[in-house]
Amino acid sequence: MSSNPREDSLAEKRWLNALAKGDSSAMNGLYQLYGEKIFRYTYRMLGNRADAEDATAETFLRVLKRANDLRADGAFKTWLFRIARNLCIDKMRQPKLLEISGERSYSGTEERAALRVTVQNALNELPMDYREPLILCDLEDISAKEAADTLGISVPALKSRLYRGRRALREKLGGSMEKLK
Amino acid sequence: MSDLYRKLVDLYAGNELSEELANELVTAAGQDESLATDMATLKQTVDLLRSDEGPEFNESDYLRIIFRMQTAGADISFAEEDRHPGQYHLPM
């Protein structure tokens, strides 16, 4: 994904049109555009790489299944996140056979990596109503409108959850922020 | 702390306040220790979240996901300008 939303929007339109015409390279184009975003989102929701990879692959497989119905009307990204979200919720409901812990998923200095693990753990302890807006808006930098559409709620409701979530996260982090500053 | 201040602090922490209002809030915080603490710690929390680069997404992840899709029967080919599927262009 480029850092230019206009370029991304044009690329999205091009790939969606190509996909509707049966161009099999279009799927890879869309994956290049949104794959990392969806992976990061699903990782934040599920907390491990294997499940995030599964959910990301399944999200794009759903795109293929709906290839003929998709329209380049600006709502594709939100639709994609909504699919990913539903898959994550389904996965979270499944019983875990084996919990793999200690997975190294963050790069950078030890301090930065420790900080990120602390934040991820604190996020995992929050109720979903708070966690999801924080992941979408603060961690993945998605607009309030897109986040609200993804969650199926109004923008004021999204903002209310976001603000409460930030305060709840602050309580969870407690002294960690001071230590890791 | 009043509900109004609480709402203003929420907006301040997310950088959603105008510069003028943010300055007024900072001035008010100079006279109110609990307000100053609330502002500083909430802003720090939001900044911490926004500075989080997230989990790594490298070439192996990229290819493993493609492999999972292909295993599930997806026909994914590569466009002419992207003939090197193993070469994932990392964001700069």
Side-chain angles (χ1 to χ4, degrees):
Chain A
M1 206 163 168
S2 79
S3 56
N4 184 335
R6 188 175 149 71
E7 271 179 29
D8 287 346
S9 169
L10 289 173
E12 177 190 300
K13 195 172 180 178
R14 181 161 58 95
W15 291 126
L16 283 175
N17 287 334
L19 191 67
K21 288 176 188 161
D23 179 350
S24 59
S25 69
M27 189 59 207
N28 188 51
L30 288 169
Y31 176 55
Q32 291 242 359
L33 200 56
Y34 291 120
E36 183 175 357
K37 277 258 174 204
I38 295 296
F39 172 80
R40 285 159 52 101
Y41 170 66
T42 54
Y43 189 101
R44 305 251 200 218
M45 290 284 282
L46 298 167
N48 75 78
R49 191 165 290 272
D51 281 347
E53 286 175 3
D54 265 348
T56 304
E58 185 57 34
T59 300
F60 284 92
L61 287 170
R62 301 274 171 103
V63 172
L64 267 186
K65 282 181 192 157
R66 297 282 302 276
N68 293 324
D69 307 326
L70 297 172
R71 298 283 174 270
D73 58 2
F76 175 72
K77 184 178 163 191
T78 304
W79 179 79
L80 201 59
F81 271 89
R82 216 159 38 224
I83 296 288
R85 175 180 183 251
N86 289 338
L87 289 166
C88 288
I89 290 170
D90 286 348
K91 269 196 181 291
M92 284 187 271
R93 285 182 183 142
Q94 290 166 7
K96 292 250 181 287
L97 293 175
L98 177 67
E99 195 77 51
I100 299 167
S101 60
E103 183 182 333
R104 182 178 169 83
S105 300
Y106 297 100
S107 59
T109 64
E110 288 299 317
E111 291 80 10
R112 294 295 296 173
L115 176 62
R116 289 175 196 147
V117 170
T118 303
V119 171
Q120 182 68 47
N121 289 341
L123 268 172
N124 290 346
E125 289 175 16
L126 292 180
M128 280 294 279
D129 277 359
Y130 291 167
R131 195 168 142 209
E132 290 191 291
L134 290 173
I135 292 174
L136 290 167
C137 298
D138 283 337
L139 289 166
E140 295 307 323
D141 199 23
I142 287 171
S143 74
K145 173 77 172 71
E146 286 176 329
D149 287 347
T150 300
L151 300 178
I153 58 177
S154 67
V155 172
L158 179 276
K159 290 209 165 187
S160 170
R161 290 184 192 181
L162 179 65
Y163 298 153
R164 287 167 192 265
R166 285 172 179 166
R167 287 179 179 275
L169 183 69
R170 177 180 62 180
E171 302 311 312
K172 291 275 179 204
L173 287 170
S176 302
M177 282 194 300
E178 277 305 310
K179 274 189 277 176
L180 294 164
K181 249 199 303 192
Chain B
M1 193 192 322
S2 72
D3 277 353
L4 175 63
Y5 269 142
R6 191 183 161 92
K7 282 176 187 166
L8 286 172
V9 172
D10 285 332
L11 295 171
Y12 169 83
N15 295 326
E16 293 175 80
L17 270 189
S18 68
E19 195 180 338
E20 190 186 350
L21 268 176
N23 288 339
E24 279 186 35
L25 197 62
V26 169
T27 305
Q31 313 292 320
D32 184 337
E33 196 177 329
S34 72
L35 174 62
T37 304
D38 194 38
M39 283 169 67
T41 54
L42 199 60
K43 181 93 171 69
Q44 195 182 358
T45 304
V46 175
D47 289 347
L48 183 64
L49 279 174
R50 290 182 178 175
S51 68
D52 190 322
E53 291 155 12
E56 275 185 274
F57 183 71
N58 55 34
E59 189 179 319
S60 303
D61 301 308
Y62 174 84
L63 291 173
R64 267 201 304 272
I65 292 168
I66 292 227
F67 179 71
R68 281 173 201 238
M69 288 192 269
Q70 287 173 332
T71 304
D75 174 19
I76 301 172
S77 63
F78 297 86
E80 202 54 49
E81 68 266 28
D82 188 26
R83 277 288 167 206
H84 306 286
Q87 189 179 350
Y88 172 61
H89 302 289
L90 289 167
M92 297 298 285

